[in-house]
Amino acid sequence: MTTTETKTATQTRTVKETAETVETTVPDTAAEPGTIETLGMGTSAESGMAAESETGAEPETATGTGTATGTGTASAAFPAAGAVEITTAAVEPAPPADLGQAAQERLRRWRLVLGGESADGTGCTLRGQDAAMDGALTALYGKGDRPQSGRDRTAGLGASAPSVARWLGDIRTYFPSSVVQVMQRDAIDRLGLDSLLLEPEMLEAVEADVHLVGTLLSLNKAMPETTKETARAVVRKVVEDLEKRLATRTRATLTGALDRSARINRPRHHDIDWNRTIAANLKHYLPEYRTIVPERLIGYGRASRSVKKEVILCIDQSGSMAASVVYASVFGAVLASMRSIDTRLVVFDTAVVDLTDQLDDPVDVLFGTQLGGGTDINRALAHCQSQITRPTETVVVLISDLYEGGIRNEMLKRVAAMKASGVQFVTLLALSDEGAPAYDHEHAAALAALGAPAFACTPDLFPEIMAAAIEKRPLPIPDGG
């Protein structure tokens, strides 16, 4: 028997053995629309090892950052360009007709994951909704065997508004909203569809999220009047959703912090801080009675009656900070709604704009920003410093990647002067879910040396950061900060 005939016979036997193995582990039901499952599939590396043990051939390998898991989303199975690279040693023959239903289902799932053409080696043909789902993915991510990077990769959407609108409708039909948002961001980045967002019909078709809001804000100056109302409606929907998620916890956390920060030495019984009182009176412990005589009571008043803090949010509006601008505007509106906190919001690039008078509507704040441009942190901090009237009761939050285009030494001197006067200074490299962006490490280290460590903060952690700053406690810096 020739070498080719031996290899073909071995591959056929391996497929049959695999079918017998997975019949007991893979359900017969087809996946629901918008669902890519891998139950019982194993990895391509494992399949390659099985083939190697029979034939001595090199195993198939799958490398990258994403894997398709569970039934929740397809974002890992269909990542952005360059995220996954799949290499196969050889194209397998079409599956024999006598493969069991479970094995056919397994091949179908692999076909959806691999994307078709000669690279998948499954010999599986998609029909119905599977074919439509695959077509929507192919239109964005292309048909090449190997992912290409950025906008060099081929794709099938083009610059046609009608075809993009149909595609947006298709992906909303076949995928959950979290995956739709990922695919929309990839389409804007890979295919340059920004200009299409200037059309009201397109905005009505997209799935709104923080990143889309950032894109719309960057297009604000080029947006025609006919589109602005639609854009504002999209932005308002995202902002209202964020407020619902963040406002209650933020108010509760900061109200408690404000109460605790109003320390008094003659508290009423229900206002006594027993932990601090005991700690302050340990020297008055009486061993014979095994008790402490509290000569000095420590307590706190109520913030609504006795405390008013000042918070200044100073936000870098350069293009890389888009998500941070959105979240900071929402938090600014929430803080401004609290009577015990006097809140100011300042945005800057090379110019400085004070948007405090618009804090009652975060949508107005967002449309008052202008993403892009240079950065002059020193100039922005000079403005913030001029607004401080009670240093020991003030928290300044600088949200920036710290790439300073102004005078570096003057920026650091301003931070040092504010801290010396009693200001609580917080530096956030980002206020978003994505973690720390690229940032100036030298400036971050210099601020840390001044007692103002720079770190990225998620929206869920921001209330705790602010509470610690108000109470003048050490900041709960997240791991990796």
Side-chain angles (χ1 to χ4, degrees):
M1 181 179 293
T2 66
T3 302
T4 302
E5 291 172 337
T6 301
K7 182 176 181 180
T8 301
T10 302
Q11 290 173 326
T12 302
R13 184 171 66 255
T14 301
V15 171
K16 289 182 178 181
E17 291 173 352
T18 302
E20 294 171 357
T21 301
V22 302
E23 278 180 350
T24 60
T25 60
V26 180
D28 293 338
T29 57
E32 293 295 326
T35 301
I36 307 298
E37 300 180 353
T38 59
L39 181 60
M41 286 171 53
T43 66
S44 57
E46 292 170 344
S47 300
M49 291 174 64
E52 183 181 28
S53 64
E54 294 284 349
T55 65
E58 288 297 321
E60 295 181 349
T61 61
T63 62
T65 60
T67 57
T69 60
T71 61
T73 69
S75 59
F78 304 100
V84 174
E85 179 180 346
I86 298 178
T87 306
T88 55
V91 177
E92 293 182 290
D98 60 347
L99 277 179
Q101 184 177 355
Q104 290 284 4
E105 174 65 10
R106 181 172 182 265
L107 292 175
R108 165 191 165 274
R109 296 176 186 179
W110 269 120
R111 167 63 181 81
L112 283 167
V113 171
L114 296 175
E117 298 300 319
S118 59
D120 67 16
T122 63
C124 179
T125 302
L126 301 178
R127 295 180 177 84
Q129 284 195 336
D130 286 345
M133 186 189 304
D134 188 62
L137 290 161
T138 299
L140 173 58
Y141 296 113
K143 298 182 179 181
D145 289 348
R146 287 178 176 272
Q148 300 175 19
S149 60
R151 301 184 181 183
D152 295 333
R153 186 167 182 190
T154 60
L157 288 178
S160 167
S163 66
V164 174
R166 286 193 297 271
W167 177 78
L168 286 169
D170 287 344
I171 63 175
R172 289 172 70 130
T173 299
Y174 302 127
F175 302 102
S177 61
S178 58
V179 179
V180 170
Q181 292 169 8
V182 171
M183 295 178 72
Q184 285 176 174
R185 292 201 295 272
D186 285 348
I188 292 171
D189 178 59
R190 297 156 62 90
L191 306 180
L193 301 182
D194 306 47
S195 59
L196 293 179
L197 294 177
L198 301 180
E199 301 180 19
E201 296 79 6
M202 289 296 299
L203 283 179
E204 292 171 356
V206 296
E207 187 84 16
D209 68 345
V210 170
H211 297 278
L212 178 65
V213 170
T215 301
L216 292 177
L217 295 179
S218 68
L219 297 172
N220 184 27
K221 299 303 180 184
M223 195 174 291
E225 290 299 323
T226 54
T227 306
K228 283 190 176 181
E229 284 305 311
T230 305
R232 287 184 72 90
V234 171
V235 172
R236 187 168 298 281
K237 179 180 182 301
V238 174
V239 167
E240 288 176 351
D241 289 344
L242 290 176
E243 282 188 303
K244 288 178 183 177
R245 178 165 70 90
L246 301 172
T248 301
R249 180 166 174 265
T250 300
R251 292 191 184 101
T253 301
L254 296 190
T255 297
L258 289 165
D259 284 345
R260 290 188 295 274
S261 69
R263 300 293 172 183
I264 56 179
N265 292 324
R266 298 182 63 184
R268 289 175 294 184
H269 184 270
H270 63 276
D271 287 336
I272 295 175
D273 185 333
W274 287 108
N275 287 334
R276 287 177 176 258
T277 296
I278 292 172
N281 290 275
L282 288 176
K283 61 183 178 180
H284 304 303
Y285 177 70
L286 301 178
E288 62 273 23
Y289 295 103
R290 301 182 64 183
T291 189
I292 292 174
V293 177
E295 293 187 0
R296 184 166 66 95
L297 298 177
I298 300 176
Y300 46 81
R302 297 302 170 186
S304 58
R305 297 194 301 268
S306 58
V307 175
K308 189 167 186 179
K309 295 289 184 178
E310 296 181 6
V311 174
I312 302 177
L313 299 177
C314 186
I315 310 168
D316 183 346
Q317 61 176 355
S318 57
S320 61
M321 304 296 293
S324 298
V325 171
V326 176
Y327 279 116
S329 298
V330 172
F331 277 117
V334 173
L335 294 177
S337 69
M338 301 179 65
R339 294 182 180 180
S340 299
I341 299 179
D342 182 14
T343 305
R344 305 195 67 85
L345 189 143
V346 176
V347 297
F348 68 93
D349 42 34
T350 51
V352 180
V353 180
D354 195 319
L355 297 175
T356 302
D357 59 347
Q358 300 179 35
L359 273 175
D360 58 331
D361 188 347
V363 176
D364 288 341
V365 171
L366 289 172
F367 277 94
T369 64
Q370 183 177 348
L371 294 177
T375 307
D376 192 339
I377 302 174
N378 176 57
R379 187 174 182 179
L381 291 181
H383 175 80
C384 294
Q385 193 174 22
S386 69
Q387 302 300 308
I388 297 173
T389 57
R390 297 187 301 151
T392 58
E393 303 298 333
T394 300
V395 179
V396 174
V397 182
L398 172 65
I399 304 174
S400 173
D401 55 16
L402 300 180
Y403 286 111
E404 170 66 314
I407 306 174
R408 174 184 185 272
N409 290 337
E410 287 298 315
M411 175 192 77
L412 296 176
K413 286 180 181 178
R414 291 192 189 280
V415 175
M418 282 189 275
K419 287 193 64 64
S421 67
V423 172
Q424 297 297 301
F425 196 93
V426 179
T427 309
L428 301 181
L429 302 171
L431 178 57
S432 68
D433 295 304
E434 280 69 43
Y439 64 94
D440 190 307
H441 291 260
E442 183 179 352
H443 287 166
L447 288 172
L450 295 175
F455 55 95
C457 172
T458 63
D460 290 337
L461 183 61
F462 185 73
E464 300 296 334
I465 298 290
M466 291 302 300
I470 287 173
E471 294 182 62
K472 301 182 180 180
R473 293 186 284 108
L475 301 180
I477 299 176
D479 294 339

